[in-house]
């Protein structure tokens, strides 16, 4: 065991080195063989100072490992492509939580080593990312971020009996295995909660839906929304689909919604398509209330999008930067990444703290196999309660579903305002 003085020195070195971007990059280069903590490869030609910092990081981590061991937690999500805003947010939220947990003493005295892989929102690439993480000796998985890749990966992690918690994979099948949990609401829960919110707050009675029939996420939310709409006295006056092959021209869908007298258009879709719909609706001088779900988060960051078109848009979300309880996280996130956190970042942050809580509840240690860790974690997840960014008093069922209250935000003057 290390002395208390040596452990303190190690921690100080670790916190210093983790604050240096070049050291972070250098440490991942060693990740596959010696356990670096960052996620992107260092470019060729690093300075001697950076090499020295990387060596110090490695030495500190090796000393930490000898003291209490290291838990290897993998992450998967889109860092490039049309859903990159989601994946980048999750990666950042995971990283921020990991650094905080490590600085506070880790999990059961062990540090966290994290490795995030890009799946480009593609199921096949998500499987490749998963296999890369397995080769890295991953013990637990935070991810994946979007539903189709998550469905593909959970089929693998169930067979391998590796613990998995997704911050945002909302399709029912994303947690089909008993090893899998989620932080976000499921698609059926999002659809039902959206209809209830619209009905209870009397936002509108005539509703049009524009949805992506080629994704489990969008179609699943639409289905549960329609089922609940009847209970809320909502009339579905138009329900128009598009697919991934027809997601640039929404003239037909918008015309039908307008002609049907829709007062509110429900958009259970991702933010990229939503930004196009808002632009085309404006061109048609069609201005109903637009209402989305968690996939809408990120619309204000779309490149070349006129954010004034999103004014008044509402979305169901468990997180807002304006909430009092989010203040410390938001400030830390802004300082680290120079941008506003999306709810996906908050979900990943909560996911990491759920891992910490369940790991400490179960008493797992880094020398255990991934399968033994999984068995202990899935039992402990039903026994923990956490106050997170996306909900207070959060608990989980054995089926992997979270229990927490839904919220809605409205975009006013270019920012999300909790309703």
């Amino acid at each position: 065991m290390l002395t208390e003085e040596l452990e303190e020195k190690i921690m100080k070195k670790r916190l210093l080195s983790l604050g240096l971007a070049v050291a972070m990059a250098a440490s991942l280069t060693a990740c596959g063989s010696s356990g670096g903590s960052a996620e992107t490869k260092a470019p060729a030609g690093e300075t001697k100072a950076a090499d020295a910092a990387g060596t110090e990081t490695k030495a500190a981590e090796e000393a930490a490992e000898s003291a209490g061991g290291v838990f290897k937690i993998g992450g998967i999500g889109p860092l490039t492509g049309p859903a990159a805003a989601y994946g980048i947010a999750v990666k950042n939220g995971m990283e921020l939580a990991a650094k905080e947990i490590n600085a506070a003493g880790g999990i059961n005295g062990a540090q966290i080593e994290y490795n995030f892989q890009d799946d480009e929102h593609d199921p096949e690439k998500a499987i490749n990312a998963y296999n890369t993480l397995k080769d890295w000796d991953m013990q637990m998985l935070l991810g994946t971020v979007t539903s189709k890749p998550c469905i593909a990966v959970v089929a693998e992690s169930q067979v391998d009996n590796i613990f998995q918690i997704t911050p945002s994979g909302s399709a029912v099948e994303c947690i089909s295995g008993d090893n899998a949990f989620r932080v976000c609401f499921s698609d059926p829960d999002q659809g039902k909660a959206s209809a209830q919110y619209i009905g209870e707050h009397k936002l509108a009675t005539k509703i049009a839906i524009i949805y992506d029939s080629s994704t489990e996420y969008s179609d699943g939310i639409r289905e549960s929304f329609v089922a609940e709409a009847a209970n809320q006295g909502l009339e579905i006056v138009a329900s128009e689909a598009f697919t991934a092959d027809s997601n640039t021209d929404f003239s037909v869908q918008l015309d039908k919604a307008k002609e049907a007298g829709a007062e509110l258009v429900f958009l259970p879709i991702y933010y990229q398509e939503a930004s196009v719909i808002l632009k085309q609706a404006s061109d048609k001088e069609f201005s109903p209330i637009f209402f989305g779900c968690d996939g809408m988060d990120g619309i204000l960051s779309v490149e070349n999008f006129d954010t004034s078109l999103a004014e008044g848009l509402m979305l169901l979300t468990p997180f807002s930067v304006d909430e009092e309880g989010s203040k410390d996280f938001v400030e830390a996130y802004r300082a680290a990444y120079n941008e506003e956190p999306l709810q996906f970042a908050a979900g990943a942050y909560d996911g990491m703290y759920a891992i910490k809580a369940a790991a400490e509840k179960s008493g797992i240690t880094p020398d255990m196999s991934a399968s033994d860790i999984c068995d202990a974690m899935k039992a402990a997840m039903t026994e923990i309660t956490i106050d997170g960014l996306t909900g207070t008093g959060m608990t989980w069922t054995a089926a992997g579903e979270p229990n927490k209250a839904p919220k809605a935000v409205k975009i006013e003057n270019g920012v999300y305002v909790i309703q």
Side-chain angles (χ1 to χ4, degrees), residues 86 90 144-147 166-171 182-184 217 294 344:
Y86 303 147
V90 166
T144 67
V145 173
T146 50
S147 286
T166 172
S168 49
S170 55
R182 66 170 130 234
V183 177
C184 65
Y217 168 79
D294 60 0
F344 293 85

Side-chain angles (χ1 to χ4, degrees), residues 177-331:
D178 66 353
N179 64 309
F181 295 77
R182 66 170 130 234
V183 177
C184 65
F185 291 115
S186 69
D187 292 342
D189 285 344
Q190 288 198 69
K192 181 178 180 180
S194 294
Q196 289 173 340
Y197 189 93
I198 292 167
E200 290 170 3
H201 290 79
K202 302 186 185 307
L203 299 183
T205 55
K206 293 186 176 182
I207 314 295
I209 305 172
I210 300 177
Y211 69 102
D212 184 351
S213 61
S214 63
T215 70
E216 291 86 351
Y217 168 79
S218 186
D219 199 32
I221 295 177
R222 176 201 62 83
E223 186 175 343
S224 60
F225 181 89
V226 171
E228 181 60 26
N231 298 329
Q232 299 297 324
L234 306 179
E235 180 186 0
I236 308 299
V237 296
S239 184
E240 300 298 317
F242 65 91
T243 68
D245 297 323
S246 60
N247 63 355
T248 57
D249 185 354
F250 299 94
S251 296
V252 173
Q253 293 92 336
L254 287 167
D255 285 343
K256 288 187 177 181
K258 187 176 182 179
E259 291 166 4
E263 302 159 338
L264 182 149
V265 176
F266 183 53
L267 301 174
I269 59 177
Y270 294 136
Y271 64 92
Q272 290 282 1
E273 291 89 351
S275 69
V276 178
I277 288 174
L278 293 180
K279 173 62 170 65
Q280 293 179 1
S282 177
D283 292 342
K284 293 177 177 292
E285 298 183 346
F286 180 39
S287 54
I289 297 170
F290 287 99
F291 194 106
C293 296
D294 60 0
M296 188 70 71
D297 202 1
I299 193 167
L300 296 179
S301 65
V302 175
E303 188 175 359
N304 299 321
F305 174 63
D306 179 1
T307 57
S308 69
L309 297 175
E311 194 70 11
L313 180 146
M314 300 183 70
L315 61 146
L316 200 72
T317 175
F319 168 77
S320 170
V321 296
D322 297 315
E323 290 184 276
E324 183 62 31
S326 304
K327 182 179 178 181
D328 290 345
F329 167 75
V330 172
E331 289 180 353

